[in-house]
Amino acid sequence: MMHEHYVIVGNGVTANAAADVLRERDPNARITMISDEFHLFYHRFRLPAFLLGEASESSLCVRPVSYYRERNIRLRLGQEVVRVELDRNLLYLKHMEKVGYTRLLLALGGKPHIPEVHYTYRHRFSTFKTLDDARLLRSRLGSIRSIVIAGGDLVSMRFATSLAKTGRNVMMMLASEAFWPLDLTETIREECIRSLTAKGVDVIDSDRIVGIDSADEQNFEVRTAAGLILPCQYVGAFFGWRPQVDFLVRSGLDIDRGILVDEHLRTNFDSVFAAGDCAQVYNPGIRNYWVSIGWPNAERLGRVAGENMAGGALEAGQAPQSALEVEGIQACTSWWREHGSE
Amino acid sequence: MDRNERIGENTVNREDLIVKICGSAGDGSISATEILNRAVASMGYHIMNFDSFPAEIRGFGKSCGHTRISKNPVRTPGDKADCLVALDDGHSISELKNLKSNGIIIYDSLPPSYRDEDTAVAGYIEPGMIGYGVPLRELSTEATRSAKSRNLVSLGVIATLFNFDPDAFVRAISKRFSGKKESVRTAVLEAFRLGQIFTSEKISKRDAIDFERKAYPREGEYIIISGNESAAQGCLDAGIRLYAGYPITPATKIMEILAKKLPIQEGVVVQTEDEISAVGHVLGAGFSGTRSATATSGPGLCLMSECINLGVMAEIPMVIIDCQRGGPSTGLPTKTEQSDLRIALYGASGDSPRPVIAPTTVAECHSLAMAAFEISDAYQTPVILLLDFFLSNRIEDIVPDPEGSARWGRFPDSIAKPGESPYKRYRITPSGVSPRSMPGTPELLFTATGLEHTENGRPNYDAANHKTMTDKRYAKLDALRNAWSLPEPIGDAGELDVGVISWGSSAGSAIEAMEILRERGFRVGGWIPRLLMPLHEDALEAFAARCRCLVVTEMNHSGQFADVIERVVHRPILRIAKVYSEPMPSDDIVRIVLGELS
Amino acid sequence: MMHDIRYRIGAPWQDLSGESDHPDDIEYIRTNIPCQWACPAQTNIPGYIEQIYRRNFNRSYGINRRSNLFPGVLGRICSRPCELACRHGETDLGEPVSICYLKRFAADQKTPDHVITEDMFPATGRSIGVIGAGPAGLAVAHSLAVFGHRVTIYEQMAEPGGMLRYGIPSFRLPRDVIDREIYNIVRLGIAIEFGCALGKDIRIPDLLQRHDAVVLAAGCFSPRSLAIPGENLPGVLSGLDFMIRVNQGETPAIGDRVIVLGGGFTAMDCARTARRLGSKDIVICIRNVEEDLTVTREEILDVKREGIRFVSLVSSMSIQGDTHATGVRFARNRFGGVRGRSGRTVIPIEGSEFDLAADTIIAAIGQGPDTRLTGAPDSDLRFDPLTGRSNIEGLYGAGDFARGASTVIESIGHGRQVATSVDGDLMKRIRRKKVVSFQPSTDTHRQRAWDFIPRTHMPSLDLPDRFASQDAEVELGFDPDLGLSESQRCYLCNLKYEIHIPDCIYCRLCVEACPRNCIELGLSPAQPPRPGTWTKTSRWNEVAGIVIDSDRCIRCGECLRVCPTQCIHVTRVELQDRLLSSEG
């Protein structure tokens, strides 16, 4: 008998939750997880603590290799999917290997987004999403005195206040588009500013970056529309994440900003599912498409995707209240903290 | 960073690196390994190269070069590799089990088409391993218009990645291709250079191995040779005139070398119809006073035992090199094992004393081969030299020792002088060594026979005579034991937590294990005799008396040497006797000893 | 000398130059030079790109102009069907060559003393009227003038160019480029009468009387209607009208907030023009998703760089406002239809309505031909889509008017086709046809390393400079280094690599060197004739010949360089227009 081969692209919370469920439901199936990061599944919300030396690298790791070995889950780390042929159930990896599947879960997560208006100087922005980003910044931290944070997405709040605590000069330029899929309402904006200022962050409101100059790629000068020139050693792009769906373009998969899925997290291909930060689902409550964010959500959706891949028919349901409570600043600034204190 | 913190198989000392270059036959993995050896040896590093062969004949299927590079003298090829260069994905996948769990894989990132699932070596990179993709084939084609120089591209990658001095590689490559056209030399150097450039520009290094372009001065000349080459050179330096042999893995290489070189010394190589004939040739040459040798492996040694016995009885000098392999019977021709000890020591009808010598390094293959001839002549006896697959085929950098035989002078009473009357070919002497004459010498005629005989060589079945003559033959062993310098114990002096006894090719693993145990805080010593028959029993007893735990390590199932030791020391021994088929992993010794000590 | 290249494998090499119009040879072009086949004007793309990297910019421009008349214009605004077909853009081979920008590069780099030559036929004395001085009309007129006919163009606007001039903003297409290339057409003796609106100033029956033939190339100037409530409110503009007004020098007051409905080039142009008129908050609302848009990805990036946002998966339901439009009510869309690849239809989701406020709403959802202009009822006038012949003798239709809204390059291609059929009908014989030419080529001068050069991005004006004036051209063109390195990326698919089997020693060096596994062991190399369908084998004792699969071949030349017996031959295979000036 042919066993199922479940392939999960991604190694974050959604991917791991789905793998757990699939192993419970189908002890004989092959399960493969593919991720372009080299690191084992780690706690992203601890990266700011790691950055400041408050957490060790090993404490970031959620699961050891043995966890996967015991469950006979094959981990392909540092391996990148560059192309898919969904009507032939094939993935193409960067190192020139084809991998087949019977059911596929795309749990890709997102990559930091830099708005196109900053295209000309986009390479001068640094991003802070992965362990590698954190390692790099940690190694440079000693020589950084001033930091400009552009955007102001959910991740940046903790990042900014953490760095401000260390006595560094942290300047934050709020940009409304950074908050997608949330809307930056006046209430949130004011609450953000109040809260950040209280924690020592210098918030620059109602201005925008029009250029970043650098003589040596170590020291930067950020130019703003209002004519400010902000010298700094680090310009962080915190405009939110966008799903990493480049390799899916022209695959036939329905993609808008994220991968379009139905209430069962199934894409327009029967054997392909998507969940987590990369999946976009219509939410009647807000009359809009929604990408679910936050660790608890992602974990729940991973389990739903796993159940449905194994033949279930669970509904993803609406995003839970905590993530939808966008009017309360709490939800917006506490996403990481919320889980970290669990 | 992390690497040095780990223990066990993942321990990486600085300036100690194990590289495997794996491909199909024709991919040049062996020649790349040879160039690597020469290049790093010229920087003053020590190497041990032990290629693995397919179970079948060399030249088909997988071919994998394995070399260990270290600042310190290398005692073992190491268990698992730090770095695997995959010139062929399929064969390299089967080699992954010999890669450390934090090992490095260098693979071709741009093959001409996608590979099917699980046929790309890069797909097997486990968490913790590091993969570096290099377009080996593309760069090779760019440099030499052929895919065959991927091995040289990969050397460029290795040199840059691990920060070796590239000039040493350039010299080694130039030397290797010195017989070729200028355009070929330029092209292969370009292949190396493209590997370098790609690595420095496109690869972000994620491993911690860095040789920092260091170089160490070496004392004197060194050469890079295998155990078989070393033993063959020993035969040549000992001045043999005849080599007779029947090909058998892993001994064949000795014949191949001698077939080329012996005629230059006006010697003769005879490929006989079988091993019985081969040893018969050697026996005849020895009888007539010409130095000669044969080399074989276990199955051949079985066939030769009859003639060896005749050599013992008729006191004829002869040297038999036994390159052991997995047995019994045809066994495992391409796997290493130390299981011929018992047949070498005792494999004969009757009481049949014969010296047995076991070199432990490639250098000793040379010096002890020469010694074997001297002993054979001096004591008028067959001598067995025990190599094995691992020792025969491993390549080391050694300092040649042309003086290897100087200390073995002939006994003054061993050559008969005309006028001695009546001439007694088998005269009883204190050393057991009788005056010898060349057959046909006037006034010194004698009978040589396999029957028990009297002092003048005539057959005699008298009980008293048999006892006397048996004692005489055994007396030669005592004389040899006294003449051979005492095997000095190594390691710590005084009381020891652990005493390790080993022999032959696996001695290196034992010494390496001792070093690891010492680092762990134990008092450790070792006793590694090269002369296994006769054994220096007093020295052994003295060593054993200092040890709380006595360990004997060897690569056979039944503990053949441990049996010998036990008979002398009369105490419990921790036997580490295993058929690994591969060189003995020192980690395994450490693990077992630690288990015993705790 | 006509050859069929299919059956020439194994033939003595010196026989290989010549021409052919055999259908199999045409078929070879279709599968092997995909860019040229995709081009509606069948521009010899590898030919002109090769001239660029050989630095013959004038010749490169000339090869271009022979097929498409407007290299400078098309090098900026072409819809680039060729790039979608480019072999370099095939899976795993990277991105297509910037064919379009290279066209402009050749136009930018050609020397001022470059002289355009035309292969003119002697005057025939025939007279032809062309209605519309847009791309199709100009293409028809040019070809007919070359054939020796006397051509008069009737144009309703004050200047020639049609959509080029009135539909496309000047920041994308500078007016002097249009002027220069139109001059080069008109100088063949073509007369243009401006201010002649069809149906008002001129009528088709009169023109048919006046000329031996009349070609209708009046374009598509009739905007498609939104068909939703409120679409006639003030503040709702059609994209085309908006562009024409701006291009005529007006600066319409559109306010700060603009919603553009539609996702084609016109929608992008409207949004970017609005940005230059000073609007702050501009949103392009599309029914599907960005991936589905016909505009290039570079265009989407440029639109976003200018701060314009996209809202995807929405359908406009109604325009809001009482006396002036104040916004649009949208519904969210979902994809419907069949699961899997072919299911891209959008369906509004019930209960998903939401409103977006705006001062101006620009509907850029396409346009059609105004067939009322002909004076005939809609159903009466029909055009053959290939030849342009109508059901009225002597009356032809070309370009968008005949075939519906399309692209500039399609209009030019169609215009040339129609001109050939007009000429054929008048002269009673074919005087221009497509042939496949082939000539031996000694060296390709390509290097394998060139295959790895990444696609060059068009340098563009900094954001503040873009908005300094309406006319500042955004795309700056390649500088010589960029252009030359981009030209090296072209595989030169017009070269055919063949192994001459009698000389082959089966050494396999080419097979090993080939980076794409396109050299195969064939059971019978010459049959069946279609490339790629020969029977492959892996057993050496069965091999009848080693063959190169031209479909997979990327013309890297590695095989040629490693071959020890020089048995690999290269033929330049090109689709060309052959002018037949005399009988025979």
Side-chain angles (χ1 to χ4, degrees), chain A residues 233-268:
Chain A
Q233 290 77 43
Y234 182 90
V235 191
F238 289 88
F239 298 100
W241 299 349
R242 288 289 184 275
Q244 282 173 295
V245 292
D246 295 352
F247 69 96
L248 297 167
V249 168
R250 315 234 173 271
S251 64
L253 205 62
D254 287 343
I255 300 169
D256 181 27
R257 273 173 146 169
I259 301 161
L260 293 165
V261 293
D262 64 15
E263 64 277 14
H264 298 122
L265 302 178
R266 195 186 291 261
T267 68
N268 59 320

Side-chain angles (χ1 to χ4, degrees), chain A residues 209-240:
Chain A
I209 296 179
V210 295
I212 305 173
D213 299 325
S214 175
D216 55 2
E217 301 296 330
Q218 294 288 329
N219 292 286
F220 303 97
E221 285 188 344
V222 176
R223 284 183 282 116
T224 76
L228 292 178
I229 290 178
L230 311 171
C232 59
Q233 290 77 43
Y234 182 90
V235 191
F238 289 88
F239 298 100

Side-chain angles (χ1 to χ4, degrees), chain C residues 190-415:
Chain C
I190 297 163
I192 307 185
E193 294 189 15
F194 293 106
C196 298
L198 181 64
K200 270 193 261 167
D201 309 310
I202 47 170
R203 277 166 222 291
I204 288 171
D206 302 340
L207 292 179
L208 282 170
Q209 290 282 313
R210 206 183 302 168
H211 299 286
D212 295 309
V214 172
V215 182
L216 254 170
C220 285
F221 281 85
S222 186
R224 196 175 291 159
S225 123
L226 278 171
I228 57 171
E231 65 169 318
N232 295 321
L233 281 172
V236 182
L237 307 175
S238 97
L240 187 56
D241 289 345
F242 175 66
M243 287 313 306
I244 292 174
R245 284 169 64 189
V246 174
N247 282 328
Q248 284 176 324
E250 286 184 44
T251 48
I254 50 172
D256 272 352
R257 296 169 304 170
V258 175
I259 290 177
V260 177
L261 304 173
F265 271 107
T266 307
M268 306 299 132
D269 288 344
C270 290
R272 296 176 73 179
T273 301
R275 183 77 176 81
R276 284 159 177 73
L277 289 172
S279 300
K280 301 261 181 319
D281 181 12
I282 303 162
V283 187
I284 298 174
C285 297
I286 56 177
R287 290 161 51 79
N288 42 17
V289 294
E290 285 172 27
E291 185 188 332
D292 293 334
L293 297 183
T294 51
V295 300
T296 60
R297 293 177 76 173
E298 288 101 327
E299 176 70 18
I300 293 175
L301 174 65
D302 254 323
V303 168
K304 288 182 173 173
R305 283 182 67 183
E306 296 182 2
I308 297 160
R309 288 181 298 133
F310 281 86
V311 175
S312 49
L313 286 174
V314 291
S315 287
S316 53
M317 308 305 282
S318 63
I319 307 289
Q320 295 177 306
D322 299 328
T323 56
H324 191 278
T326 58
V328 182
R329 169 154 296 183
F330 288 103
R332 304 273 175 199
N333 289 339
R334 65 182 169 83
F335 281 116
V338 199
R339 277 194 179 278
R341 214 174 252 285
S342 58
R344 293 266 174 139
T345 54
V346 292
I347 300 164
I349 300 170
E350 242 173 80
S352 66
E353 291 78 8
F354 68 101
D355 299 333
L356 273 186
D359 302 314
T360 299
I361 294 128
I362 301 175
I365 54 168
Q367 53 270 334
D370 191 349
T371 45
R372 290 165 305 175
L373 298 177
T374 61
D378 277 1
S379 54
D380 275 12
L381 199 56
R382 282 186 306 277
F383 299 101
D384 182 300
L386 284 177
T387 62
R389 292 187 191 105
S390 73
N391 43 354
I392 299 170
E393 199 183 336
L395 181 64
Y396 299 78
D400 289 1
F401 188 87
R403 304 204 301 181
S406 65
T407 61
V408 174
I409 188 69
E410 282 179 79
S411 298
I412 294 169
H414 193 234

Side-chain angles (χ1 to χ4, degrees), chain C residues 6-13 16 498-502 526:
Chain C
R6 279 290 141 51
Y7 301 106
R8 290 183 297 102
I9 296 171
W13 196 247
L16 286 183
E498 278 173 298
I499 295 175
H500 187 51
I501 286 166

